[in-house]
Amino acid sequence: MKNIRFKVIVNLALLFGITSVWAQDIPSNTITKSVSKYDYHDAFAPFFYTKNGTSTRSASGQPGPGYWQNRADYQLTAKLDEQKNEITGSGVITYTNNSPDKMNFVWMNLDQNLFQADSRGNAVVPISGSRNGAQGQIFDGGHKIKAVKIVTSSNGKTTEVAAKYVISDTRMQVFLPQGLNAKGGVVKIKIDFSFIAPFEGSDRMGVLETKNGKIFTIAQWYPRMCVYDDVRGWNTNPYLGASEFYLEYGDLEVNITAPANHIVVCSGELVNPTEVYSSEEQKRLAQAKLSDKTVLIRTADEVNALAKSPSLATKTWHYKIKNARDLSWASSAAFILDGAKINLPSGKKSLALSVYPVESDGNAAWGRSTEYTKTSIENYSKRWFEYPYPVATNVAGNEGGMEYPGIVFCGWESKGASLWGVTDHEFGHIWFPMIVGSNERLFAWMDEGFNTFINSLSSHDFNNNGEYKEDKADLHKDAEQYTNPALETMMSSPDNMKEANIGTLCYSKPGAGLVMLREHILGPERFDLALRTYVERWAFKHPTPDDFFRTIENVAGEDLSWFWRGWFQYNWRLDQGINSIKYIKNDPAKGIIINIENFEKMPMPIVLDVKTKSGKVTRVKLPVEIWQKNVDWSFKHNSTEPIESIILDPDHVFPDVNEANNVWTAEKGKVDEDLILDGFLGTFTTDKAPLKFNITEKNGALNVEIVGYPKFNLTPIGKNKFESKRAGLQIEFNEAKSGFEMILGDGRKMSFTKQ
């Protein structure tokens, strides 16, 4: 933009020795309104992103050409001692270092160590109790590491050499005598271990007593590799209970030995069904794979009969899962088993299975679990990304709800809408974070919040018939909960939040934010394409928050820094209100001027319903850009009759903390007088300088034109008094409006007369 200098100023300077500039702000006698907390410089500040794109992570939000990711493949065994609640196991981990860095050691997660009496996780459980940790159980918890060995092969001969290792709380550092080369180096680590399964394992695993035996839901059970990435190197945050997991991808295979009357379900596909199922169960399983309706594979009567005839015999169940970040399983003699076919968009089929005790049976409860599982998986596959695993298993356990690749644990007492909700939620986690492998230890909103959001769409689709129909969210009611100044920010780790705040900050607030973004900022078409792109880009990879933000912006074509900043990065509040209204020239037939203001830190688009005296309602939408350089905003609405009411955010889709200023009514509201400008119009000159002011009315304001120079507007600041901050002057008309005085910055005046 050109730096324009006006002869007007030169002339005035010659006459009065004034050195003011055109853009000088002049003190005015404007009536002061309530102070707004809104600062558009903060809301729309540039440089939201603190890092430029790199070879590993593009500025557009996708993996860069140099993106790398390490890999962990597992060969596992587990043996369940039902009497002692003990799992004895071994794991051979094939770890591939694709990073550019040579490694002399690796880090592993020993999550069972949370249940040691002296663990950090136990130390931070408050006296009042918590859902985390062992929940008061006193037992010999934690991983018992019996051996750690480096496995090498040469000329067909395998050698195992004991490795030095150090255990620190829920982490184990294993030292590599030969080191591990960069860009493709491979090491095999064999670990023998055992542990006692806790009854309530931080609400993520457990042991449930039923009349037909114990239900074991087993997770975080084998030593797992920590993630080494391009963001932090080794991610070794301890497992404290609240924050979840961050894991590498690979192929996993396990042999699980359990009592012969047990059913064992696991992540992935059962390799040896003929060895573990009866001929009748095999027949029913085959029927289930072809049926859209639920097929019983082991019935309640059969469970009752088997529970009465326990034996010391065992069976070994062999499972595999490919390209997954974890493997979990469940085992019990109490399991009813049923299943049905899952239809995937590509034409492929998967299998929905449910296992539950007789106490959970019935069509009002777990008898519909497989239906819910099938519905959920099919919906998410259609909307976002095809389900990648051959089986999806829902397990009734003593957890509130917990997710793992291909298998979830849900509360055994759940039924009806509650069972649908928890099933849909836990299977939604297959997409976030099992497919899109974000760092749950640090950013819970990237799995729980995303999942809460997609759950809202899934539930809407499922409940079209109104079976479990939910009321629409009212963000005015939720505003205090979501934006309470006492809350931590969503970008905080769950370990860095009050436990009571986790539900809000990790689940509902990010979920509500994505609904706003989809429904009211971007629109469903743009948002859905952007989110699908994000899932496709980062499937089986490790995105950061910036990768998500950048992808949405680049695919949708929108700078959303104001939204990320207010809702995710900070805990800003929203309060938009109606300041005033006035009829143009005091005539309702000529339209109305509405003034709105942003009173808090967060901007949002504007939605207004304007209702006229005849009952006609017109919806007005204004983009968020009105707040880019304004604290308040006036606009014209082309009504032709008196206004009955104006409602700001009538559907309560934005988290406005103050409803008191959202409604104007003719009954209670004030109508401001419009200033009739006719008398101020004309051409004005002075004998003090060769200046001619041509004043006209344009868009309801006085417009000043001086031949050969830029036009500027005058804003009323009192009776017969106007100012232009751009021009750096004020104008005060006499009572007859036959002339005015131009008031300069130092208070000196110059008189003008109407021609």
Side-chain angles (χ1 to χ4, degrees), residues 363-378:
N363 281 331
W366 275 79
R368 294 186 68 184
S369 166
T370 290
E371 173 198 344
Y372 298 157
T373 300
K374 169 184 168 68
T375 299
S376 184
I377 297 290
E378 289 178 350

Side-chain angles (χ1 to χ4, degrees), residues 72-93:
D73 300 291
Y74 298 83
Q75 291 280 338
L76 303 166
T77 67
K79 184 177 181 180
L80 172 63
D81 186 325
E82 186 174 21
Q83 301 305 311
K84 297 180 180 178
N85 299 339
E86 184 177 36
I87 288 87
T88 303
S90 67
V92 177
I93 307 164

Side-chain angles (χ1 to χ4, degrees), residues 557-629:
E558 222 41 75
D559 180 357
L560 296 166
S561 59
W562 61 272
F563 183 74
W564 311 133
R565 190 175 282 118
W567 196 252
F568 288 84
Q569 186 178 35
Y570 300 117
N571 190 32
W572 287 351
R573 312 194 93 180
L574 176 71
D575 179 16
Q576 300 180 142
I578 302 168
N579 265 343
S580 63
I581 75 162
K582 62 182 178 183
Y583 294 113
I584 295 172
K585 296 190 181 299
N586 303 313
D587 183 358
K590 293 183 179 337
I592 189 172
I593 301 294
I594 302 172
N595 179 264
I596 53 178
E597 185 163 351
N598 224 2
F599 294 98
E600 285 283 353
K601 294 283 289 181
M602 186 189 302
M604 281 289 172
I606 288 289
V607 181
L608 290 158
D609 275 356
V610 182
K611 183 180 180 181
T612 62
K613 189 176 180 180
S614 66
K616 179 184 177 183
V617 177
T618 303
R619 177 150 294 189
V620 178
K621 294 185 177 182
L622 301 174
V624 74
E625 281 82 1
I626 65 171
W627 305 120
Q628 277 190 314
K629 54 187 175 186

Side-chain angles (χ1 to χ4, degrees), residues 387-407:
Y387 183 72
Y389 304 122
V391 182
T393 305
N394 196 9
V395 181
N398 62 351
E399 301 81 10
M402 190 59 204
E403 70 281 356
Y404 304 97
I407 190 170

Side-chain angles (χ1 to χ4, degrees), residues 280-517:
E280 184 61 30
E281 288 169 342
Q282 293 176 53
K283 179 181 174 182
R284 296 169 184 171
L285 179 62
Q287 292 173 350
K289 290 180 178 180
L290 299 174
S291 175
D292 287 313
K293 300 292 185 183
T294 300
V295 175
L296 278 165
I297 301 166
R298 181 176 289 183
T299 68
D301 289 343
E302 290 164 341
V303 168
N304 290 328
L306 284 167
K308 294 174 183 176
S309 55
S311 75
L312 297 177
T314 62
K315 289 180 181 178
T316 297
W317 301 66
H318 186 188
Y319 282 92
K320 289 182 178 179
I321 188 169
K322 292 184 177 181
N323 204 17
R325 46 176 266 167
D326 201 3
L327 179 145
S328 298
W329 53 279
S331 181
S332 181
F335 280 152
I336 297 170
L337 171 65
D338 65 37
K341 174 182 62 173
I342 297 173
N343 302 296
L344 300 175
S346 67
K348 294 180 179 178
K349 309 298 178 187
S350 186
L351 177 65
L353 293 177
S354 297
V355 288
Y356 47 94
V358 295
E359 293 94 327
S360 304
D361 196 11
N363 281 331
W366 275 79
R368 294 186 68 184
S369 166
T370 290
E371 173 198 344
Y372 298 157
T373 300
K374 169 184 168 68
T375 299
S376 184
I377 297 290
E378 289 178 350
N379 187 290
Y380 295 132
S381 295
K382 178 180 65 177
R383 279 188 176 275
W384 310 117
F385 190 92
E386 186 163 290
Y387 183 72
Y389 304 122
V391 182
T393 305
N394 196 9
V395 181
N398 62 351
E399 301 81 10
M402 190 59 204
E403 70 281 356
Y404 304 97
I407 190 170
V408 304
F409 307 154
C410 295
W412 69 277
E413 293 180 300
S414 296
K415 56 183 63 178
S418 173
L419 181 60
W420 156 255
V422 70
T423 300
D424 187 54
H425 178 82
E426 302 311 331
F427 278 115
H429 276 303
I430 298 298
W431 283 262
F432 309 101
M434 303 307 162
I435 293 174
V436 182
S438 57
N439 187 342
E440 300 175 271
R441 283 283 164 86
L442 298 183
F443 307 111
W445 63 268
M446 293 186 74
D447 69 296
E448 297 294 358
F450 288 1
N451 190 25
T452 300
F453 163 71
I454 65 173
N455 297 158
S456 69
L457 301 180
S458 177
S459 285
H460 177 270
D461 293 344
F462 180 71
N463 292 316
N464 250 354
N465 61 5
E467 183 177 10
Y468 305 136
K469 190 174 181 180
E470 299 177 347
D471 294 333
K472 284 187 176 181
D474 185 334
L475 285 198
H476 289 192
K477 291 181 180 178
D478 296 334
E480 183 62 33
Q481 172 192 348
Y482 289 161
T483 62
N484 190 311
L487 285 176
E488 305 88 352
T489 68
M490 278 196 290
M491 299 295 280
S492 303
S493 160
D495 291 328
N496 195 214
M497 296 175 183
K498 297 285 188 185
E499 189 171 334
N501 296 341
I502 289 175
T504 295
L505 294 172
C506 301
Y507 292 74
S508 56
K509 182 173 179 177
L514 295 179
V515 170
M516 279 192 287
L517 193 57

Side-chain angles (χ1 to χ4, degrees), residues 56-116:
T56 57
R57 297 174 190 268
S58 166
S60 68
Q62 59 190 314
Y67 180 81
W68 56 264
Q69 187 171 304
N70 291 350
R71 179 180 177 92
D73 300 291
Y74 298 83
Q75 291 280 338
L76 303 166
T77 67
K79 184 177 181 180
L80 172 63
D81 186 325
E82 186 174 21
Q83 301 305 311
K84 297 180 180 178
N85 299 339
E86 184 177 36
I87 288 87
T88 303
S90 67
V92 177
I93 307 164
T94 303
Y95 183 67
T96 305
N97 177 23
N98 294 316
S99 83
D101 306 319
K102 185 176 180 179
M103 296 179 175
N104 295 316
F105 57 83
V106 297
W107 281 98
M108 305 183 73
N109 296 292
L110 298 182
D111 294 317
Q112 286 299 315
N113 285 358
L114 171 70
F115 305 109
Q116 291 178 335

